[in-house]
């Protein structure tokens, strides 16, 4: 029995087979990710109710006005963004030489061992790693007590104490493998004969690196920047533990508005704005590097 | 290769920076002092012994194990569908669909946790172990898919076609040919998902209700300075278990790629 309509053709197509196969997973992501995100977006336009009603169905832009004009929110938003831009810069710049070393100077059969060593710390408990940085950087912490014992310093160093520097160090440590892997993949794809060609044509090693290697590695650098920048904006644990709750970032603010103050619309608006801001920054960065990204064969 | 030596030194120093916190963990867990500082004051294993007396630790451990086992199985099963579909077929809306599924990889966890929490609270549901399982499945899926896609992509399609030609059905081909070949990838995805779930804090913190997981329990104990050495001992055990599981996962991942004759590109991501 051959059915002829578009449905019959669609049913036997490759597209249908793929969609049918992906549907359980897609449905899960739709219900537990897309729908909740849409709920947050909806909440951000509604009005806060009391402890009984929680949410009042009155459409308003007040939550966005508060988010954008209130000095506290703006200060926290700016701090979060600058911390995550700083962390991204530090992480990617420190990571590049490591990725370069593994790609260009490590024997092929030992590359996976290096990558495995780089990724292990990333898979161990984030909470414990953050807490350890607090212990390492504290007033009587490992660094200060160690340096005092060795007689190198008399007074504990204070610039590493529970402040923004400590947050940047901790986050840069946590996201290191995220930055190394995409750069490594981009470097691996570079055709080594291009580098020889550059040098045969009289370029110095440094110039070959700047004019051939670096532009070809840029897709990896851009990926690394995005994969570090976006999650760090919303980091909750590090400001909570390292900053002792005194230097909140946007995630801590979202949590306190939504749960402590039970103002779900305002918390939602903060979340939406934070995501929008980081998306704009990310897109601007991608646009700036657009010329490197289209060099595909 | 003259610059190779300087780079090598830098790479090794970088590894030291990466490992410094984890290596200090056992040092202070075995140190006979309640404050975490130098100079070390003596060797002791009493902090490990004290773990047995910590109240509610074993409840948290049980919750964590239930959650990690359930969500790794769910994430790997759902990941199998998506990885197979995306590496085998071209379908309408493939980019956006796979993009949505992989989104938790870059989305801040607080956003995932808060939006899920708002929906669950809005529906008037009671938070418990099951709500953490839902959240952990969501964030483990992208990692499982990344590992499984690599396994499916390096699969030689002609093996499956040969099975069809020899009269096997679609399902029996999958069961007899495809599944055994990607099995190491499946084991690797299960282990990685299990490790992620065991160590995850944010989603568990907000979605666990009155049934804390191990990381949530650890977080609650960090406020008490007296408990810190025991927590460091617990952390040492957790990190050791993670490293063992990851090493097994890496072994299976490599074996899987070698089995289908692929080239190892290294790394999980």
């Amino acid at each position: 029995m051959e059915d002829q309509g578009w449905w019959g053709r669609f049913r036997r197509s490759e597209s249908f087979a793929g969609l049918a196969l992906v549907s359980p997973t897609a449905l899960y992501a739709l219900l537990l990710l897309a729908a909740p995100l849409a709920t947050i977006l909806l909440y951000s336009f509604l009005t806060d109710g009391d402890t009984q009603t929680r949410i009042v169905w009155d459409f308003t832009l007040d939550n966005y006005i508060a988010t954008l004009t209130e000095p506290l929110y703006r200060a926290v938003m700016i701090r979060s963004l600058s911390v995550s831009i700083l962390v991204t810069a530090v992480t990617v710049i420190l990571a590049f030489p490591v990725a370069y070393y593994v790609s260009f100077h490590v024997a092929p059969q030992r590359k996976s061992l290096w990558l495995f060593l780089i990724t292990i710390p990333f898979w161990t408990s984030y909470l414990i790693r953050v807490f350890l940085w607090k212990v390492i950087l504290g007033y009587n912490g490992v660094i200060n007590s160690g340096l005092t014992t060795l007689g190198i310093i008399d007074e504990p160093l204070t610039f590493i104490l529970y402040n923004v520097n400590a947050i940047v160090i901790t986050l840069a440590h946590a996201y290191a493998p995220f930055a190394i892997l995409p750069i490594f993949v981009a470097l691996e794809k570079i055709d080594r004969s291009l580098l020889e060609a550059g040098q045969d044509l009289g370029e110095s090693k440094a110039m070959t690196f700047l004019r051939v290697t670096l532009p070809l590695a840029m897709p990896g650098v851009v990926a690394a920047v995005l994969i570090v920048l976006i999650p760090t904006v919303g980091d909750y644990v590090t400001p909570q533990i390292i900053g002792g709750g005194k230097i909140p970032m946007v995630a801590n603010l979202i949590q306190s508005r939504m749960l402590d103050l039970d103002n779900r619309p305002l918390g939602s608006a903060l979340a939406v704005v934070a995501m929008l801001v980081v998306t704009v920054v990310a897109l601007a960065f991608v646009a700036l590097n657009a010329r490197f990204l289209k060099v595909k064969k | 290769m003259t610059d190779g030596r300087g780079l090598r030194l830098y790479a090794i120093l970088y590894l030291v920076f990466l490992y410094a916190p984890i290596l200090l963990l056992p040092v202070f867990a075995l140190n006979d002092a309640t404050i975490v500082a130098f100079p070390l004051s003596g060797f002791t294993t009493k902090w490990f012994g004290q773990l047995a007396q910590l109240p509610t630790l074993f409840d948290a451990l049980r919750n964590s194990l239930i959650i990690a086992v359930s969500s790794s199985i769910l994430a790997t099963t759902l990941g199998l569908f998506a990885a197979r579909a995306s590496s085998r077929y071209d379908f309408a809306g493939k980019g956006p669909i796979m993009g949505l599924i992989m989104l938790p990889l870059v989305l801040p966890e607080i956003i995932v946790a808060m939006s899920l929490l708002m929906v669950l609270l809005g529906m008037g549901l009671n938070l418990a172990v099951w709500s953490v399982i839902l959240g952990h499945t969501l964030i483990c899926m992208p990692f499982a898919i990344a590992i499984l896609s690599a396994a499916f992509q390096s699969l030689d399609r002609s093996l499956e076609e040969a099975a069809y030609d020899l009269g096997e059905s679609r399902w029996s081909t999958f069961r007899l040919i495809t599944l055994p070949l990607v099995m190491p990838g499946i084991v690797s995805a299960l282990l990685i998902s299990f490790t992620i779930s065991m160590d995850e804090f944010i989603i568990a913190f907000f979605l666990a209700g009155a049934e804390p997981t191990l990381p949530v329990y650890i977080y609650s104990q960090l406020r008490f300075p007296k408990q810190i050495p025991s927590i460091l001992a617990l952390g040492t055990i957790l990190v050791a278990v993670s490293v063992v599981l990851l090493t097994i996962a890496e072994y299976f991942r490599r074996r899987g790629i070698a089995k289908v004759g692929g080239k190892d590109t290294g790394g999980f991501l």
Side-chain angles (χ1 to χ4, degrees):
Chain A
M1 190 65 216
E2 195 79 354
D3 48 349
Q4 288 301 325
W6 69 269
W7 173 246
R9 254 177 289 127
F10 177 64
R11 270 216 52 164
R12 278 174 277 113
S13 71
E14 182 175 328
S15 199
F16 178 81
L19 278 172
L21 200 53
V22 83
S23 60
T25 320
L27 204 63
Y28 191 87
L30 214 56
L31 281 177
L32 282 113
L33 184 64
L37 291 176
T39 308
I40 292 277
L41 187 62
L42 175 68
Y43 273 13
S44 69
F45 290 104
L46 299 178
T47 308
D48 186 35
D50 54 34
T51 48
Q52 284 301 309
T53 54
R54 310 271 187 193
I55 300 274
V56 181
W57 281 78
D58 265 337
F59 280 89
T60 174
L61 287 174
D62 286 354
N63 305 307
Y64 284 99
I65 295 170
T67 301
L68 296 172
T69 56
E70 208 147 311
L72 170 72
Y73 301 159
R74 269 169 54 178
V76 171
M77 205 69 85
I78 290 167
R79 177 192 296 140
S80 300
L81 193 61
S82 26
V83 164
S84 74
I85 289 175
L86 194 60
V87 168
T88 309
V90 169
T91 313
V92 173
I93 290 168
L94 288 180
F96 192 93
V98 180
Y100 184 85
Y101 171 74
V102 178
S103 178
F104 281 77
H105 292 285
V106 170
Q109 66 274 20
R110 292 175 64 93
K111 281 181 183 173
S112 7
L113 177 67
W114 268 87
L115 292 180
F116 182 57
L117 283 177
I118 288 165
T119 31
I120 281 190
F122 165 73
W123 297 108
T124 57
S125 172
Y126 179 49
L127 182 72
I128 288 177
R129 276 183 294 144
V130 173
F131 175 68
L132 282 165
W133 277 108
K134 180 184 174 157
V135 166
I136 292 171
L137 299 170
Y139 190 78
N140 282 316
V142 173
I143 289 185
N144 277 327
S145 64
L147 292 177
T148 316
T149 310
L150 292 171
I152 294 169
I153 54 169
D154 302 322
E155 292 279 300
L157 305 169
T158 49
F159 71 93
I160 53 171
L161 290 182
Y162 316 121
N163 57 22
V164 175
N165 291 341
I167 293 183
V168 172
I169 294 174
T170 309
L171 285 173
H173 178 262
Y175 284 89
F178 263 149
I180 292 178
L181 292 179
I183 300 174
F184 170 78
V185 170
L187 288 171
E188 282 290 278
K189 283 189 192 147
I190 296 177
D191 186 348
R192 300 300 195 258
S193 60
L194 289 175
L195 308 182
E196 284 164 22
Q199 286 181 17
D200 287 350
L201 293 170
E203 294 277 28
S204 69
K205 267 200 165 159
M207 285 309 282
T208 315
F209 176 80
L210 283 178
R211 295 179 58 171
V212 182
T213 315
L214 198 56
L216 288 173
M218 274 322 271
V221 173
V222 171
V225 164
L226 297 186
I227 216 166
V228 177
L229 183 79
I230 304 173
T232 43
V233 159
D235 191 80
Y236 176 85
V237 179
T238 303
Q240 201 69 15
I241 291 183
I242 301 277
K246 290 188 195 73
I247 2 178
M249 299 220 319
V250 74
N252 313 86
L253 200 61
I254 294 171
Q255 181 267 340
S256 78
R257 297 306 114 152
M258 274 190 173
L259 300 181
D260 300 346
L261 301 183
D262 197 37
N263 190 339
R264 294 178 190 177
L266 182 58
S268 302
L270 282 165
V272 173
V273 170
M275 284 294 90
L276 279 180
V277 168
V278 75
T279 309
V280 168
V281 173
L283 287 179
F285 185 77
V286 171
L288 278 176
N289 290 288
R291 66 198 181 94
F292 297 118
L293 300 180
K294 350 180 240 254
V295 275
K296 284 269 127 71
K297 50 213 118 126
Chain B
M1 287 276 165
T2 43
D3 50 358
R5 204 168 298 158
L7 269 175
R8 184 183 169 78
L9 181 69
Y10 175 81
I12 289 169
L13 284 177
Y14 194 89
L15 279 186
V16 171
F17 165 68
L18 277 187
Y19 278 85
I22 309 181
L23 293 179
L24 283 169
L25 191 59
V27 172
F28 288 103
L30 293 167
N31 184 28
D32 190 10
T34 45
I35 52 159
V36 184
F38 286 112
L40 300 174
S41 53
F43 178 85
T44 179
T45 53
K46 69 177 175 193
W47 306 121
F48 287 88
Q50 277 191 10
L51 285 178
Q53 296 150 27
L54 281 177
T56 66
L57 170 66
F58 290 95
D59 293 336
L61 177 64
R62 202 196 56 222
N63 290 340
S64 272
L65 287 175
I66 294 173
I67 291 168
V69 169
S70 320
S71 40
S72 56
I73 293 173
L74 274 171
T76 307
T77 312
L78 289 169
L80 265 174
F81 286 111
R84 173 73 172 168
S86 80
S87 52
R88 179 77 165 73
Y89 300 101
D90 265 323
F91 48 89
K94 183 175 177 178
I97 292 174
M98 291 311 292
L100 174 70
I101 295 172
M102 300 303 272
L103 188 61
L105 211 54
V106 287
L107 205 62
E109 280 189 2
I110 187 86
I111 304 279
V112 178
M114 278 298 160
S115 56
L116 253 179
L117 179 65
M118 288 300 116
V119 170
L120 296 177
L121 290 180
M123 291 164 81
L125 297 167
N126 278 326
L127 301 174
V129 164
W130 66 270
S131 39
V132 184
I133 295 176
L134 290 184
H136 279 183
T137 303
L138 195 64
I139 59 159
C140 291
M141 251 164 31
F143 291 97
I145 292 171
I147 296 167
L148 293 168
S149 296
F152 277 123
Q153 262 156 20
S154 41
L155 197 70
D156 189 350
R157 231 159 133 173
S158 55
L159 292 173
E160 292 175 346
E161 278 156 16
Y164 293 142
D165 291 347
L166 294 170
E168 293 290 346
S169 70
R170 219 163 239 257
W171 167 244
S172 62
T173 304
F174 184 75
R175 196 169 54 85
L176 294 171
I177 307 291
T178 318
L179 208 54
L181 286 173
V182 293
M183 199 38 117
I186 295 175
V187 175
S188 176
L190 278 171
L191 289 170
I192 291 287
S193 304
F194 181 88
T195 317
I196 295 173
S197 172
M198 273 303 266
D199 287 338
E200 202 283 335
F201 170 68
I202 301 278
I203 289 175
F205 183 56
F206 290 114
L207 296 184
E211 298 181 341
T213 63
L214 217 41
V216 177
Y217 174 80
I218 291 175
Y219 183 74
S220 71
Q221 295 299 306
L222 293 180
R223 277 175 295 147
F224 309 114
K226 225 174 50 149
Q227 300 284 20
I228 300 292
S230 310
I231 291 302
L232 293 180
L234 180 58
T236 307
I237 298 173
L238 271 182
V239 168
V241 171
S242 293
V243 171
V244 170
L245 288 180
L246 294 168
T247 310
I248 302 173
E250 170 73 3
Y251 168 78
F252 276 105
R253 192 190 62 82
R254 283 194 199 180
R255 225 186 68 174
I257 291 171
K259 208 169 175 179
V260 292
K263 189 175 156 287
D264 191 3
T265 48
F268 291 117
L269 293 173

